[in-house]
Amino acid sequence: MGIPDPEASRQHLEAWKGRIDRLAADTQAMSEQFEGLKVTAADPYGLVQVTVDSSGNLVDLVLSERTRRIGTEETAQAVLGAIQLAKAKIADRSAEIISETLGADSAAGQAIANRVRSKLMPKTDEED
């Protein structure tokens, strides 16, 4: 086994550091995009409109005047449906940001996108 070439080793380390630096910068850019990410969605009947942040937390709720004329159960179902739709949109947008930042073929990006989707849209007992 020969002695490693110091110059080749140095170049290899510099290239590796460059890849790590790019990944760190891409990850920071992705994080900044997630920070300001919010999505608004409405139920199919226009009774409610909700806004969720990148974590899927409800940050705004607007009820139409029509909710005064319907039962509380229907209003609750409209709110829950709109939240579910908004979370699905956040998951989709997050996947787009990850793909744009880390690349569509990135194993790390796909793992992050799957983790985000499972956090925002956990499986229900009916889906198991």
Side-chain angles (χ1 to χ4, degrees), residues 82-125:
I83 290 172
Q84 186 176 18
L85 178 60
K87 285 183 174 185
K89 287 182 176 184
I90 279 283
D92 290 344
R93 181 61 188 126
S94 296
E96 289 172 7
I97 290 170
I98 292 164
S99 178
E100 291 166 2
T101 306
L102 299 179
D105 296 332
S106 164
Q110 290 172 1
I112 294 168
N114 288 338
R115 198 169 31 237
V116 168
R117 183 166 292 284
S118 68
K119 180 182 175 210
L120 290 170
M121 305 182 65
K123 288 186 177 185
T124 63
D125 291 337

Side-chain angles (χ1 to χ4, degrees), residues 60-96:
D60 192 27
L61 169 64
V62 178
L63 303 174
S64 76
E65 282 296 317
R66 294 187 347 210
T67 59
R68 293 177 183 249
R69 296 186 298 272
I70 63 172
T72 56
E73 181 63 29
E74 291 89 350
T75 300
Q77 290 302 315
V79 169
L80 293 174
I83 290 172
Q84 186 176 18
L85 178 60
K87 285 183 174 185
K89 287 182 176 184
I90 279 283
D92 290 344
R93 181 61 188 126
S94 296
E96 289 172 7

Side-chain angles (χ1 to χ4, degrees), residues 36-79:
L37 185 60
K38 292 181 184 171
V39 169
T40 299
D43 73 292
Y45 305 105
L47 296 172
V48 301
Q49 179 177 302
V50 301
T51 302
V52 298
D53 65 15
S54 62
S55 296
N57 296 318
L58 182 65
V59 295
D60 192 27
L61 169 64
V62 178
L63 303 174
S64 76
E65 282 296 317
R66 294 187 347 210
T67 59
R68 293 177 183 249
R69 296 186 298 272
I70 63 172
T72 56
E73 181 63 29
E74 291 89 350
T75 300
Q77 290 302 315
V79 169

